[in-house]
Amino acid sequence: MKISYLRVSVTDRCNFRCRYCMPEEEKEFIPHQEILRYEEIAEIVKVFSRFGVRSVRLTGGEPLVRRGIESLIRQLKEIDGIDEVSLTTNGFFLEEKAELLKEAGLNRVNVSIDTLNPEKFAFITRSDEGSLGRVLRGIEKAKEVGLNPVKVNTVLVKGFNDSEIEDFVRFSASYGVEVRFIELMPVGGEFFSRDNFIPVSVVKEFLEEKFGALEPARTVKMGPAKSFRVGSTGALIGFIPSVSQHFCSECNRLRLTSDGKLRLCLMSDREIDLKELLRSPNYTEELLERTVAGAFLLKRRVDGVSALESLGCSRKMFSIGG
Ligand code: SAM
Ligand code: SF4
């Protein structure tokens, strides 16, 4: 699989505290001086583009809480070979930021919404009840300014949102957005357990029972999601079986953490410290290029989880970026 996609976490901070991602009182945020500056991120992406990376996704933490994110987008869009810059957000600041982001050259956004019920939304994100409405207005605004296609990420949590599948089908159709169901991953915190995990196949079976066989959608495949049209509803639903069908040979992505560590795999703690290299007095672009070349070789050799040392992720999701 060609490695063409880099996820860049720009901050580990967030205005929400989603129960499966971040503890209520997080005390271990990365100190500001350890966070990559925008110029450093752009330098790294420039080198990655020489190795075939074409698409960059900004994530976090919440990328829209980092000041001046538009200037990073602008810098990334100027790099030869980078065709697409996208962003994954909780959507809270999207209504006010969408226009600026579009002007800076952002191509599209994914917005995370786990429930369409304002009270449940406040519960899972540990925010207040007005949050869901604000996020929905953010989606409308993103569509209006042309950050399309807007996609919605929904983490499946048994007993919490598995009763809302039909609501999400209606929502997809009426908002004209693809809703992608993501499996809850055992990353960091204590929220994950066998009792709240459901494979996405259960949702697929439910939809097939209700609406008949799902028709594969002709969408540009950028990642692990498989998308389907649901009967005559007009809904577009995707499934990301990140836990139940984890195929390393199909993985086209690398991850850069906000403190400048390159992760070859979400589920492996093996990291390469690019920030240390960038900030060392002996830094040269050639040195970075050689390090990145080594990382690509290592990533390409991986054709099964076992190849990447032991499976393990001691970081929490907000410090990697999903
Ligand atoms: N704050 C932004 C957001 O929520 O969209 C971007 C960062 S967030 C870490 C990126 C994605 O990871 C979100 O869609 C979120 O739902 C997902 N995520 C976080 N923790 C997860 C977990 N334990 N299992 C599955 N997905 C998770
Ligand atoms: Fe914040 Fe996104 Fe994690 Fe929720 S999932 S706490 S919005 S980083």
Side-chain angles (χ1 to χ4, degrees):
M1 175 66 72
K2 200 163 177 290
I3 300 158
S4 54
Y5 177 75
L6 178 67
R7 285 180 81 95
V8 177
S9 173
V10 295
T11 179
D12 60 339
R13 291 164 201 249
C14 186
N15 55 312
F16 284 175
R17 292 285 182 276
C18 299
R19 288 172 191 268
Y20 49 70
C21 179
M22 206 189 274
E24 190 160 19
E25 295 291 335
E26 176 57 35
K27 295 187 184 76
E28 290 168 28
F29 286 118
I30 300 167
H32 285 293
Q33 67 276 15
E34 299 303 326
I35 299 282
L36 285 182
R37 295 188 291 272
Y38 289 156
E39 291 67 27
E40 292 175 320
I41 295 175
E43 174 79 2
I44 291 173
V45 170
K46 188 172 77 186
V47 168
F48 271 93
S49 73
R50 295 182 195 142
F51 289 85
V53 164
R54 297 287 163 259
S55 176
V56 178
R57 174 169 294 277
L58 303 179
T59 173
E62 173 48 42
L64 299 186
V65 301
R66 181 143 176 206
R67 208 170 297 151
I69 189 80
E70 316 77 67
S71 85
L72 173 63
I73 294 167
R74 229 171 251 121
Q75 289 181 49
L76 297 180
K77 288 291 287 201
E78 279 170 8
I79 297 171
D80 272 347
I82 298 299
D83 301 331
E84 185 181 75
V85 178
S86 56
L87 184 135
T88 298
T89 172
N90 62 33
F92 192 79
F93 300 108
L94 196 51
E95 190 181 17
E96 63 203 68
K97 283 257 174 184
E99 218 156 335
L100 272 178
L101 296 170
K102 179 69 186 174
E103 273 168 25
L106 188 73
N107 294 91
R108 54 194 188 89
V109 284
N110 287 1
V111 183
S112 303
I113 298 183
D114 299 326
T115 167
L116 295 165
N117 173 310
E119 269 175 52
K120 283 166 73 180
F121 189 88
F123 170 80
I124 197 86
T125 57
R126 297 195 183 97
S127 66
D128 60 51
E129 271 187 38
S131 301
L132 178 62
R134 211 173 137 149
V135 172
L136 294 175
R137 289 197 301 280
I139 291 182
E140 299 273 21
K141 186 73 186 178
K143 284 177 58 194
E144 190 188 310
V145 303
L147 290 170
N148 291 310
V150 175
K151 294 182 185 174
V152 166
N153 290 343
T154 302
V155 176
L156 267 178
V157 181
K158 196 173 182 175
F160 176 72
N161 59 7
D162 49 343
S163 53
E164 291 185 55
I165 307 304
E166 283 180 82
D167 298 336
F168 276 108
V169 167
R170 278 189 289 273
F171 170 74
S172 165
S174 65
Y175 272 71
V177 295
E178 177 178 346
V179 174
R180 292 132 31 106
F181 290 106
I182 301 176
E183 285 173 350
L184 181 66
M185 287 185 264
V187 174
E190 291 85 47
F191 185 80
F192 180 92
S193 80
R194 275 182 200 285
D195 296 338
N196 56 20
F197 176 81
I198 348 171
V200 285
S201 57
V202 169
V203 177
K204 193 160 179 248
E205 280 158 23
F206 171 83
L207 290 175
E208 286 187 319
E209 227 165 75
K210 193 94 199 159
F211 299 97
L214 301 182
E215 184 197 332
R218 268 179 254 118
T219 51
V220 185
K221 197 171 180 302
M222 281 306 297
K226 294 190 176 68
S227 310
F228 299 88
R229 294 269 165 212
V230 182
S232 56
T233 60
L236 186 57
I237 299 289
F239 302 102
I240 307 187
S242 27
V243 175
S244 63
Q245 290 173 41
H246 183 86
F247 291 127
C248 298
S249 57
E250 284 185 19
C251 176
N252 67 342
R253 57 192 52 200
L254 289 166
R255 293 176 168 84
L256 181 66
T257 64
S258 53
D259 56 346
K261 309 280 179 2
L262 181 65
R263 277 181 88 93
L264 302 179
C265 170
L266 176 65
M267 295 308 289
S268 165
D269 281 332
R270 178 175 211 149
E271 295 180 341
I272 300 166
D273 194 340
L274 299 185
K275 183 188 69 195
E276 193 187 26
L277 186 69
L278 272 174
R279 294 185 182 176
S280 85
N282 306 327
Y283 171 74
T284 61
E285 210 170 288
E286 198 197 330
L287 204 58
L288 178 58
E289 226 172 79
R290 263 192 276 143
T291 306
V292 172
F296 269 70
L297 266 182
L298 205 57
K299 173 87 179 170
R300 286 207 186 94
R301 275 219 306 268
V302 173
D303 55 7
V305 167
S306 56
L308 263 183
E309 300 169 345
S310 60
L311 193 67
C313 181
S314 55
R315 281 193 188 245
K316 294 179 190 121
M317 201 61 134
F318 64 90
S319 80
I320 307 175

